[in-house]
Structures are given as structure tokens and as C-alpha cells.
Amino acid sequence: MSALEFSVSGMEADVYGASPAIVARIHLRETTGVLVHTIALRCQVRIEPQRRAYGADIEGLGDLFGTRRRWSETLKPFLWAHTATMVPGFNGETEVALSIPCTYDFEVAATKYLHAVRDGDIPLALMFSGTMFTRGTTGFQVEQIPWNSDIECLMPTQVWRDTMDAFFPGGGWIRASVATIDALDRFRTDRGFTSWEETLTVLLGDGMAPRALEETRP
């Protein structure tokens, strides 16, 4: 019976990928000396917000956790992503790149959290599962990765920033219904605005429009 140990040796933005992703460098160690032919590795990535402190000036977490006085009850782990990879054969130790897909969709809880937390580290839990093919007495032996193969790690917030900057430099995006987009487009056309930035800034009002527009104009 084989035994695997997991650890994270680093995390970085996948700036050359086709879509936004963060690469986690996963170090695997087989401790019994069994030759591993391959592993079909799956991972559930969860954010554990209760494992870090938050400054009094942090904004944007109210939608997720309610008012600050309730955070002792509402700061609970939640899902970020599911991901998977194939681990090539090895004997002893190896390292594999695990790609964690990202999105700037603010309807996703993980995006709201990662956008709001701008300093320190993001506490993560990596929950591994999958199938491992090893050398047995009569050929291949198939084993399931045990349920207790979970680890905790910290991801610097800058890794998320680097990922978003690579794919959405200086911006982001918000999902809206077709009817809302059509209404915004009519408003923009009627007022003669040349950009969505200008349109949305004017709609914000409250004395914010002139200042924001001045900052965005060349």
C-alpha cells in the first residue's frame, strides 16, 4: 500500500494561458518506495476566510459575510474551484503544476472575496482525491487517494492581482442581463458618450462623475 504526502512549493499567475488561471506547484512524495506509474489527480480548492485577520478599513465583504459583528459566525470556508491534472510516473518525489481557473465574474463568491482582500495572504485548503496507478505483485495496482489527503496553504494576494492584471489590465467586468445592456447602450448613444467608463461614471452621480471622468480622460 502506497502513501502520498502533498505540499505546495509555490503559486504564480499563469500569464501565458488562454484564460485566467493560477498555477500551484504541488510537491508529491511517495513514502513507501512504491513506483508510481501515473496519478489522475483531482483537487477541490476552498478559501478559508476565518484563518486570517482583516483591517477595519476593508470593504466589499458585506455581501458575503454580513456586518462585521457577525463575522465570528459567518466567516466559513467556501468553494473556489475544482481542478484536475495527470501526474507522470515517478519514484520517490515529483512536482506537478496544478492550474486553478479564475474569473472576474462578481456573481462568484470567490471573485468578490479575492477582489476585496488586497493585502496579506489568502488562506486556502487543497482537498485532493483521484486514482493512483502503482506497481503491484502481478502488474498494475489501482489505489484511490485517501480522503484525508488535504493540506492548507497561503496564497499571496499579489498572485491574484497579477493574474487579473494579465488578462484585464486596469479593469474588470460585470455581468448584466441583455435588457440592462440594451438600456445602457441606448443611454450611451443618446448622450453621445464614447465609452462605457464614461457612461457608468455619469450614472453613478453623487458628485463622483466629474472627478472620475477627469481621472479617466487623457
Side-chain angles (χ1 to χ4, degrees):
M1 189 72 176
S2 61
L4 281 177
E5 293 180 352
F6 295 88
S7 61
V8 177
S9 60
M11 302 185 80
E12 60 190 14
D14 184 5
V15 296
Y16 300 110
S19 59
I22 290 172
V23 174
R25 302 289 176 184
I26 307 299
H27 185 267
L28 297 89
R29 180 170 175 262
E30 204 293 312
T31 61
T32 67
V34 171
L35 176 64
V36 178
H37 290 289
T38 189
I39 302 174
L41 185 65
R42 299 187 299 273
C43 182
Q44 181 183 122
V45 185
R46 297 175 67 85
I47 295 174
E48 298 191 323
Q50 76 284 1
R51 286 172 43 206
R52 61 157 286 164
Y54 301 91
D57 59 339
I58 193 167
E59 299 177 355
L61 295 181
D63 287 349
L64 294 175
F65 308 121
T67 58
R68 185 176 285 268
R69 66 175 178 270
R70 297 184 56 218
W71 284 11
S72 60
E73 302 174 355
T74 59
L75 286 180
K76 304 293 184 183
F78 59 92
L79 178 67
W80 177 5
H82 289 280
T83 186
T85 191
M86 295 299 296
V87 181
F90 67 94
N91 189 3
E93 302 180 29
T94 192
E95 187 171 276
V96 64
L98 188 66
S99 180
I100 304 173
C102 302
T103 176
Y104 225 151
D105 184 354
F106 277 87
E107 300 297 318
V108 178
T111 300
K112 287 184 179 181
Y113 180 85
L114 293 167
H115 178 79
V117 180
R118 297 173 181 264
D119 59 7
D121 297 318
I122 305 296
L124 302 179
L126 306 185
M127 309 172 72
F128 295 103
S129 61
T131 305
M132 180 165 52
F133 300 87
T134 61
R135 176 179 292 174
T137 56
T138 59
F140 282 106
Q141 180 170 308
V142 180
E143 303 177 31
Q144 296 300 311
I145 295 176
W147 63 269
N148 60 347
S149 300
D150 303 342
I151 61 173
E152 296 179 346
C153 67
L154 297 173
M155 181 187 75
T157 55
Q158 190 59 45
V159 174
W160 166 261
R161 300 285 163 201
D162 291 344
T163 303
M164 293 301 102
D165 288 345
F167 288 87
F168 308 100
W173 63 276
I174 299 174
R175 185 171 59 182
S177 68
V178 173
T180 300
I181 292 173
D182 288 344
L184 284 170
D185 191 44
R186 287 193 298 271
F187 181 88
R188 182 172 69 106
T189 302
D190 292 345
R191 302 303 193 279
F193 296 144
T194 59
S195 69
W196 290 112
E197 186 80 21
E198 188 175 14
T199 304
L200 294 173
T201 304
V202 168
L203 284 170
L204 285 173
D206 297 330
M208 184 183 201
R211 182 171 62 256
L213 283 174
E214 202 59 39
E215 293 173 354
T216 56
R217 285 173 175 161

